[in-house]
């Protein structure tokens, strides 16, 4: 999960396709991943993760800016293990949870949210 976030951040599209289960790609490829406008990724919160045999679930929020607008992907991702490797299969999108105004900002600036990206 974390390695896939890093791959988004680093625009390592071959890795993202490689770790996406081929039965679930649904037309996704390196070209579609690279389509503009690309979000500017800020940070990743892994909320929970669990594993049961060859299936895994990770709930996370990934913050990004697109055209200077702050937004987040809040998703529960499903993974399956084949031949010792984990593959992303599908995810369920959820509503992003905003930090409280006095919490540290999601962009890791060290400032309070209300004094940073909440503006
Ligand atoms: Zn910020």
């Amino acid at each position: 999960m974390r390695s896939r976030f890093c791959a988004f951040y680093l625009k390592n599209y071959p890795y993202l396709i490689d770790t996406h289960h081929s039965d679930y790609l649904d037309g996704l490829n390196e070209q579609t991943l690279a389509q503009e406008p690309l979000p500017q990724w800020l940070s990743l919160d892994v909320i929970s993760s669990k594993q049961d045999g060859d299936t895994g679930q990770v709930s996370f929020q990934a913050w990004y800016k697109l055209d200077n607008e702050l937004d987040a992907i809040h998703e529960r991702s499903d993974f399956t293990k084949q031949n010792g490797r984990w593959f992303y299969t599908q995810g369920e999108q959820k509503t992003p949870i905003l930090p409280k105004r006095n919490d540290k900002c999601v962009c890791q600036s060290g400032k309070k949210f209300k004094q940073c990206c909440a503006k």
Side-chain angles (χ1 to χ4, degrees), residues 42 65 70 104-119:
L42 300 173
K65 277 186 178 173
L70 181 72
K104 281 222 168 71
C105 190
V106 295
C107 73
Q108 299 173 328
S109 64
K111 294 179 193 164
K112 288 181 179 175
F113 182 55
K114 65 181 179 187
Q115 291 162 348
C116 191
C117 293
K119 281 183 183 171

PDB file of all heavy atoms in Angstrom, residues 42 65 70 104-119, ligand 1:
ATOM      1  N   LEU A  42       0.435  14.928  -1.241  1.00  0.00           N
ATOM      2  CA  LEU A  42       0.977  15.574  -0.043  1.00  0.00           C
ATOM      3  C   LEU A  42       1.342  14.575   1.044  1.00  0.00           C
ATOM      4  O   LEU A  42       2.442  14.620   1.584  1.00  0.00           O
ATOM      5  CB  LEU A  42      -0.049  16.562   0.523  1.00  0.00           C
ATOM      6  CG  LEU A  42      -0.481  17.695  -0.425  1.00  0.00           C
ATOM      7  CD1 LEU A  42      -1.615  18.479   0.197  1.00  0.00           C
ATOM      8  CD2 LEU A  42       0.689  18.598  -0.745  1.00  0.00           C
ATOM      9  N   LYS A  65      -3.235  18.046  -3.785  1.00  0.00           N
ATOM     10  CA  LYS A  65      -3.737  19.316  -4.305  1.00  0.00           C
ATOM     11  C   LYS A  65      -3.839  19.212  -5.810  1.00  0.00           C
ATOM     12  O   LYS A  65      -2.949  18.677  -6.473  1.00  0.00           O
ATOM     13  CB  LYS A  65      -2.802  20.472  -3.941  1.00  0.00           C
ATOM     14  CG  LYS A  65      -3.049  21.011  -2.553  1.00  0.00           C
ATOM     15  CD  LYS A  65      -2.216  22.235  -2.290  1.00  0.00           C
ATOM     16  CE  LYS A  65      -2.517  22.774  -0.901  1.00  0.00           C
ATOM     17  NZ  LYS A  65      -1.611  23.876  -0.547  1.00  0.00           N
ATOM     18  N   LEU A  70      -7.317  21.672  -2.138  1.00  0.00           N
ATOM     19  CA  LEU A  70      -6.983  20.515  -1.299  1.00  0.00           C
ATOM     20  C   LEU A  70      -8.094  19.479  -1.400  1.00  0.00           C
ATOM     21  O   LEU A  70      -9.276  19.814  -1.326  1.00  0.00           O
ATOM     22  CB  LEU A  70      -6.830  20.973   0.152  1.00  0.00           C
ATOM     23  CG  LEU A  70      -6.452  19.885   1.146  1.00  0.00           C
ATOM     24  CD1 LEU A  70      -4.996  19.478   0.944  1.00  0.00           C
ATOM     25  CD2 LEU A  70      -6.674  20.368   2.560  1.00  0.00           C
ATOM     26  N   LYS A 104      -2.475  19.371  13.120  1.00  0.00           N
ATOM     27  CA  LYS A 104      -1.379  19.617  12.180  1.00  0.00           C
ATOM     28  C   LYS A 104      -1.875  19.469  10.755  1.00  0.00           C
ATOM     29  O   LYS A 104      -2.708  18.613  10.463  1.00  0.00           O
ATOM     30  CB  LYS A 104      -0.251  18.600  12.428  1.00  0.00           C
ATOM     31  CG  LYS A 104       0.610  18.963  13.615  1.00  0.00           C
ATOM     32  CD  LYS A 104       2.077  18.727  13.274  1.00  0.00           C
ATOM     33  CE  LYS A 104       3.006  19.349  14.307  1.00  0.00           C
ATOM     34  NZ  LYS A 104       2.979  18.626  15.583  1.00  0.00           N
ATOM     35  N   CYS A 105      -1.361  20.286   9.895  1.00  0.00           N
ATOM     36  CA  CYS A 105      -1.840  20.276   8.508  1.00  0.00           C
ATOM     37  C   CYS A 105      -1.461  18.982   7.790  1.00  0.00           C
ATOM     38  O   CYS A 105      -0.419  18.396   8.050  1.00  0.00           O
ATOM     39  CB  CYS A 105      -1.312  21.481   7.742  1.00  0.00           C
ATOM     40  SG  CYS A 105      -2.137  21.623   6.146  1.00  0.00           S
ATOM     41  N   VAL A 106      -2.315  18.591   6.856  1.00  0.00           N
ATOM     42  CA  VAL A 106      -2.109  17.350   6.107  1.00  0.00           C
ATOM     43  C   VAL A 106      -0.913  17.430   5.154  1.00  0.00           C
ATOM     44  O   VAL A 106      -0.423  16.403   4.678  1.00  0.00           O
ATOM     45  CB  VAL A 106      -3.361  16.978   5.285  1.00  0.00           C
ATOM     46  CG1 VAL A 106      -4.512  16.668   6.216  1.00  0.00           C
ATOM     47  CG2 VAL A 106      -3.732  18.078   4.308  1.00  0.00           C
ATOM     48  N   CYS A 107      -0.436  18.647   4.861  1.00  0.00           N
ATOM     49  CA  CYS A 107       0.663  18.761   3.896  1.00  0.00           C
ATOM     50  C   CYS A 107       2.020  18.641   4.584  1.00  0.00           C
ATOM     51  O   CYS A 107       3.058  18.793   3.944  1.00  0.00           O
ATOM     52  CB  CYS A 107       0.568  20.072   3.130  1.00  0.00           C
ATOM     53  SG  CYS A 107       1.010  21.508   4.115  1.00  0.00           S
ATOM     54  N   GLN A 108       2.000  18.362   5.905  1.00  0.00           N
ATOM     55  CA  GLN A 108       3.224  18.138   6.681  1.00  0.00           C
ATOM     56  C   GLN A 108       4.102  19.388   6.766  1.00  0.00           C
ATOM     57  O   GLN A 108       5.318  19.303   6.899  1.00  0.00           O
ATOM     58  CB  GLN A 108       4.023  16.953   6.110  1.00  0.00           C
ATOM     59  CG  GLN A 108       3.205  15.681   6.174  1.00  0.00           C
ATOM     60  CD  GLN A 108       3.842  14.499   5.474  1.00  0.00           C
ATOM     61  OE1 GLN A 108       4.550  14.649   4.492  1.00  0.00           O
ATOM     62  NE2 GLN A 108       3.586  13.309   5.989  1.00  0.00           N
ATOM     63  N   SER A 109       3.450  20.561   6.724  1.00  0.00           N
ATOM     64  CA  SER A 109       4.190  21.818   6.849  1.00  0.00           C
ATOM     65  C   SER A 109       4.574  22.064   8.304  1.00  0.00           C
ATOM     66  O   SER A 109       5.439  22.891   8.589  1.00  0.00           O
ATOM     67  CB  SER A 109       3.323  22.975   6.361  1.00  0.00           C
ATOM     68  OG  SER A 109       2.177  23.102   7.197  1.00  0.00           O
ATOM     69  N   GLY A 110       3.893  21.350   9.231  1.00  0.00           N
ATOM     70  CA  GLY A 110       4.114  21.591  10.647  1.00  0.00           C
ATOM     71  C   GLY A 110       3.203  22.673  11.207  1.00  0.00           C
ATOM     72  O   GLY A 110       3.129  22.863  12.414  1.00  0.00           O
ATOM     73  N   LYS A 111       2.500  23.389  10.322  1.00  0.00           N
ATOM     74  CA  LYS A 111       1.563  24.426  10.777  1.00  0.00           C
ATOM     75  C   LYS A 111       0.225  23.796  11.135  1.00  0.00           C
ATOM     76  O   LYS A 111      -0.057  22.650  10.771  1.00  0.00           O
ATOM     77  CB  LYS A 111       1.330  25.449   9.659  1.00  0.00           C
ATOM     78  CG  LYS A 111       2.535  26.262   9.293  1.00  0.00           C
ATOM     79  CD  LYS A 111       2.145  27.209   8.164  1.00  0.00           C
ATOM     80  CE  LYS A 111       3.365  27.841   7.522  1.00  0.00           C
ATOM     81  NZ  LYS A 111       3.037  28.433   6.225  1.00  0.00           N
ATOM     82  N   LYS A 112      -0.603  24.584  11.854  1.00  0.00           N
ATOM     83  CA  LYS A 112      -1.964  24.123  12.099  1.00  0.00           C
ATOM     84  C   LYS A 112      -2.752  24.174  10.796  1.00  0.00           C
ATOM     85  O   LYS A 112      -2.527  25.045   9.956  1.00  0.00           O
ATOM     86  CB  LYS A 112      -2.641  25.007  13.155  1.00  0.00           C
ATOM     87  CG  LYS A 112      -2.078  24.765  14.542  1.00  0.00           C
ATOM     88  CD  LYS A 112      -2.758  25.625  15.573  1.00  0.00           C
ATOM     89  CE  LYS A 112      -2.179  25.321  16.951  1.00  0.00           C
ATOM     90  NZ  LYS A 112      -2.715  26.218  17.984  1.00  0.00           N
ATOM     91  N   PHE A 113      -3.703  23.242  10.695  1.00  0.00           N
ATOM     92  CA  PHE A 113      -4.493  23.127   9.470  1.00  0.00           C
ATOM     93  C   PHE A 113      -5.155  24.459   9.118  1.00  0.00           C
ATOM     94  O   PHE A 113      -5.137  24.908   7.971  1.00  0.00           O
ATOM     95  CB  PHE A 113      -5.543  22.028   9.662  1.00  0.00           C
ATOM     96  CG  PHE A 113      -6.395  21.769   8.448  1.00  0.00           C
ATOM     97  CD1 PHE A 113      -5.830  21.464   7.229  1.00  0.00           C
ATOM     98  CD2 PHE A 113      -7.783  21.827   8.548  1.00  0.00           C
ATOM     99  CE1 PHE A 113      -6.632  21.205   6.116  1.00  0.00           C
ATOM    100  CE2 PHE A 113      -8.589  21.587   7.436  1.00  0.00           C
ATOM    101  CZ  PHE A 113      -8.008  21.282   6.224  1.00  0.00           C
ATOM    102  N   LYS A 114      -5.722  25.143  10.146  1.00  0.00           N
ATOM    103  CA  LYS A 114      -6.475  26.371   9.870  1.00  0.00           C
ATOM    104  C   LYS A 114      -5.545  27.492   9.351  1.00  0.00           C
ATOM    105  O   LYS A 114      -6.021  28.406   8.694  1.00  0.00           O
ATOM    106  CB  LYS A 114      -7.201  26.861  11.126  1.00  0.00           C
ATOM    107  CG  LYS A 114      -6.283  27.288  12.259  1.00  0.00           C
ATOM    108  CD  LYS A 114      -7.089  27.749  13.474  1.00  0.00           C
ATOM    109  CE  LYS A 114      -6.155  28.141  14.604  1.00  0.00           C
ATOM    110  NZ  LYS A 114      -6.891  28.429  15.855  1.00  0.00           N
ATOM    111  N   GLN A 115      -4.260  27.373   9.667  1.00  0.00           N
ATOM    112  CA  GLN A 115      -3.324  28.422   9.225  1.00  0.00           C
ATOM    113  C   GLN A 115      -2.600  28.026   7.935  1.00  0.00           C
ATOM    114  O   GLN A 115      -1.689  28.704   7.497  1.00  0.00           O
ATOM    115  CB  GLN A 115      -2.269  28.668  10.321  1.00  0.00           C
ATOM    116  CG  GLN A 115      -2.852  29.323  11.541  1.00  0.00           C
ATOM    117  CD  GLN A 115      -1.953  29.178  12.763  1.00  0.00           C
ATOM    118  OE1 GLN A 115      -0.998  28.406  12.752  1.00  0.00           O
ATOM    119  NE2 GLN A 115      -2.280  29.935  13.802  1.00  0.00           N
ATOM    120  N   CYS A 116      -3.004  26.884   7.391  1.00  0.00           N
ATOM    121  CA  CYS A 116      -2.268  26.384   6.221  1.00  0.00           C
ATOM    122  C   CYS A 116      -3.256  26.060   5.106  1.00  0.00           C
ATOM    123  O   CYS A 116      -3.877  26.961   4.560  1.00  0.00           O
ATOM    124  CB  CYS A 116      -1.406  25.206   6.656  1.00  0.00           C
ATOM    125  SG  CYS A 116      -0.215  24.679   5.422  1.00  0.00           S
ATOM    126  N   CYS A 117      -3.435  24.780   4.827  1.00  0.00           N
ATOM    127  CA  CYS A 117      -4.217  24.402   3.647  1.00  0.00           C
ATOM    128  C   CYS A 117      -5.720  24.616   3.813  1.00  0.00           C
ATOM    129  O   CYS A 117      -6.452  24.544   2.817  1.00  0.00           O
ATOM    130  CB  CYS A 117      -3.941  22.953   3.291  1.00  0.00           C
ATOM    131  SG  CYS A 117      -2.247  22.697   2.729  1.00  0.00           S
ATOM    132  N   ALA A 118      -6.211  24.838   5.017  1.00  0.00           N
ATOM    133  CA  ALA A 118      -7.647  25.065   5.208  1.00  0.00           C
ATOM    134  C   ALA A 118      -8.073  26.413   4.671  1.00  0.00           C
ATOM    135  O   ALA A 118      -9.246  26.674   4.455  1.00  0.00           O
ATOM    136  CB  ALA A 118      -8.018  24.954   6.690  1.00  0.00           C
ATOM    137  N   LYS A 119      -7.114  27.294   4.481  1.00  0.00           N
ATOM    138  CA  LYS A 119      -7.449  28.650   4.007  1.00  0.00           C
ATOM    139  C   LYS A 119      -8.047  28.611   2.602  1.00  0.00           C
ATOM    140  O   LYS A 119      -7.590  27.856   1.761  1.00  0.00           O
ATOM    141  CB  LYS A 119      -6.193  29.519   3.964  1.00  0.00           C
ATOM    142  CG  LYS A 119      -5.820  30.025   5.335  1.00  0.00           C
ATOM    143  CD  LYS A 119      -4.608  30.954   5.205  1.00  0.00           C
ATOM    144  CE  LYS A 119      -4.145  31.424   6.584  1.00  0.00           C
ATOM    145  NZ  LYS A 119      -2.872  32.140   6.474  1.00  0.00           N
TER     146      LYS A 119
HETATM  147 ZN1  LIG B   1      -0.862  22.696   4.638  1.00  0.00          ZN
END
